[in-house]
Amino acid sequence: MNNFSINTGDTAFMILCTAMVCLMTPGLAFFYGGLARKNNILTIMAQSFIAVGITTIMWLFGGFGFAFGSDIGGVIGNPLDFFMMRQVTSVPNLLHGATIPFLLFFFYQLMFIVITVPLMTGAFAGRLNLKGYVLLVIFWNLLIYFPVCHWIWGGGFLSQLGFRDFAGGTVIHTTAGFGSLACILTLGQRKIPEAQRNQHSNLMATAIGTGLLWFGWFGFNSGGAFRADYQAANAFGSTFIALAFAMITWLIIAKVKGHGFDFVDVLTGSVAGLATITPCAGYVAPKDALFIGIIASIVCYTAVNYRKKKQWDDALDVWGVHGIGGFTGTILIGLFASGNLLDPSSWLLLGVQVLGVIIVATYAYVLTTLILKVSMHFTTITTTKVEQEKGLDFTFFSGK
């Protein structure tokens, strides 16, 4: 701890950002719920809310220390440092938000981890029972999120190399996206006709969820500055510009490809831009965010089409949009970083970004695969053909 004084403006700003990020998890529930099949709506929405409870408990009982505790070999933090909020007080911390209460930093970071596993639920929709989902939340947080967060934001080895991730494009979107890829390849395709897999229950709910995600994303990205300053304002502007250009580019690509586009494309394109700008929002100039938005749509649209050709059953395209978006945006820091926000772009920075995001993506994929395979060896975590046909809303809440 240190004797830095609290800045009331920064504190008020971060309280708002924390509340905005908190709103994103219910927003995600609406987004996925509207895209899910009619008899899976409550299940996929419940998964977002259940993760909030489990993750918060883990965060208090050592999780925050694993992520932000004193460094142990560049790999993990000391879980005892902040166990049960020990030393998490109103006094600022020199390393983590030096002008805001450390308690506020604790809760802001909690909102980040809370939404990460729920992002994955759109990929394996209909394939995990309640037991399987709870096990995934617990072990995924423990073995993937906590270490990766420490590597990048907690003083771990990637941070020591100079790796950058402004607001979670690697820590959240890349890990969730490539964890999702592991889920869909390990769990296999749903046991229902392909025509039924893409039935959307309520696109109005999806639109509401998208709006909540848009709103929350400003706190998600701007809060990465941890103070109400130019960098926060820059992140705010970059976020919206990337959103807009990605959405329109996505629609143009769909039209040029001759497939036409629908309302889901409008929403998906915007989210691709948001996922891609997230790691670099505070490091690039808003004028460059338009190029990032365009690149986001081209790369993510290509990834989604590749997934379709490979017949991977990523129900709501989490890998193609969030995983590839976060992966791409992380690398783009090395190409577009602005000199007054970060050290100017260089081959060294680009190399570190490429190396770091490949390590994280590979780690998330391999560890997620192991978590699922080990869980499947000891217990039943998947749903049956009958349950999938009937819809999980009739069986998920039985606790099996």
Side-chain angles (χ1 to χ4, degrees):
M1 293 297 176
N2 58 67
N3 296 319
F4 275 52
S5 60
I6 291 175
N7 182 291
T8 54
D10 293 343
T11 301
F13 169 69
M14 288 306 299
I15 289 175
L16 177 61
C17 287
T18 302
M20 292 169 71
V21 179
C22 180
L23 185 63
M24 292 179 73
T25 301
L28 184 71
F30 271 97
F31 181 77
Y32 282 166
L35 291 175
R37 292 172 59 219
K38 183 178 180 180
N39 292 333
N40 286 335
I41 298 173
L42 296 180
T43 296
I44 200 165
M45 294 186 76
Q47 287 173 338
S48 290
F49 287 94
I50 289 170
V52 172
I54 296 172
T55 301
T56 300
I57 293 170
M58 295 182 70
W59 199 238
L60 265 70
F61 287 95
F64 183 61
F66 276 127
F68 293 100
S70 52
D71 181 57
I72 301 175
V75 177
I76 200 69
N78 188 339
L80 299 180
D81 283 354
F82 308 118
F83 189 84
M84 277 296 292
M85 302 183 72
R86 176 176 171 267
Q87 298 188 68
V88 179
T89 68
S90 61
V91 179
N93 182 286
L94 175 63
L95 299 177
H96 307 297
T99 61
I100 63 174
F102 192 41
L103 179 68
L104 182 55
F105 178 86
F106 173 94
F107 284 112
Y108 179 73
Q109 289 293 341
L110 171 59
M111 299 311 159
F112 271 34
I113 184 175
V114 154
I115 198 174
T116 307
V117 173
L119 278 174
M120 298 169 61
T121 60
F124 54 75
R127 278 160 283 182
L128 280 182
N129 58 26
L130 177 59
K131 185 195 306 180
Y133 182 68
V134 170
L135 287 173
L136 179 65
V137 173
I138 294 172
F139 287 103
W140 202 91
N141 285 339
L142 184 64
L143 299 177
I144 299 174
Y145 190 92
F146 295 157
V148 171
C149 183
H150 181 76
W151 298 349
I152 297 171
W153 289 338
F157 76 96
L158 287 180
S159 173
Q160 295 168 22
L161 286 175
F163 183 85
R164 300 291 183 143
D165 177 9
F166 188 74
T170 309
V171 176
I172 297 168
H173 294 284
T174 299
T175 57
F178 282 83
S180 295
L181 181 60
C183 287
I184 62 179
L185 294 181
T186 304
L187 299 175
Q189 295 187 352
R190 283 167 288 178
K191 302 177 179 69
I192 56 176
E194 188 171 354
Q196 296 180 21
R197 294 176 190 171
N198 298 319
Q199 292 177 349
H200 305 313
S201 60
N202 189 333
L203 291 184
M204 184 177 293
T206 301
I208 292 171
T210 305
L212 293 174
L213 288 173
W214 285 11
F215 178 76
W217 225 299
F218 290 114
F220 198 91
N221 285 358
S222 298
F226 294 106
R227 60 175 66 214
D229 63 2
Y230 169 75
Q231 191 174 38
N234 185 91
F236 187 101
S238 296
T239 298
F240 197 68
I241 289 174
L243 177 163
F245 275 84
M247 177 174 61
I248 298 304
T249 303
W250 189 287
L251 300 183
I252 292 173
I253 295 172
K255 189 67 175 177
V256 170
K257 287 284 186 179
H259 304 146
F261 57 83
D262 58 22
F263 185 48
V264 175
D265 285 314
V266 176
L267 307 181
T268 302
S270 68
V271 173
L274 290 168
T276 307
I277 194 63
T278 292
C280 44
Y283 299 138
V284 302
K287 63 181 177 63
D288 291 328
L290 71 89
F291 298 110
I292 293 172
I294 293 170
I295 293 170
S297 271
I298 295 171
V299 174
C300 292
Y301 189 94
T302 302
V304 169
N305 275 347
Y306 177 78
R307 186 274 303 172
K308 292 177 180 177
K309 290 179 181 178
K310 298 294 288 186
Q311 296 185 328
W312 295 344
D313 190 6
D314 187 348
L316 304 179
D317 280 317
V318 179
W319 173 74
V321 175
H322 293 279
I324 295 300
F327 188 97
T328 302
T330 300
I331 294 173
L332 292 179
I333 294 173
L335 297 178
F336 289 101
S338 174
N340 62 333
L341 297 165
L342 183 66
D343 293 338
S345 300
S346 65
W347 288 112
L348 177 60
L349 176 60
L350 179 61
V352 170
Q353 294 301 117
V354 171
L355 174 64
V357 77
I358 289 175
I359 290 173
V360 170
T362 304
Y363 180 81
Y365 176 83
V366 172
L367 265 291
T368 304
T369 302
L370 289 176
I371 290 170
L372 292 172
K373 287 187 176 295
V374 172
S375 298
M376 292 166 71
H377 179 74
F378 287 102
T379 188
T380 301
I381 65 172
T382 56
T383 54
T384 66
K385 182 175 185 291
V386 172
E387 288 172 337
Q388 291 184 22
E389 290 175 342
K390 189 175 182 180
L392 266 61
D393 289 353
F394 296 98
T395 59
F396 185 81
F397 299 97
S398 67
K400 295 180 180 179

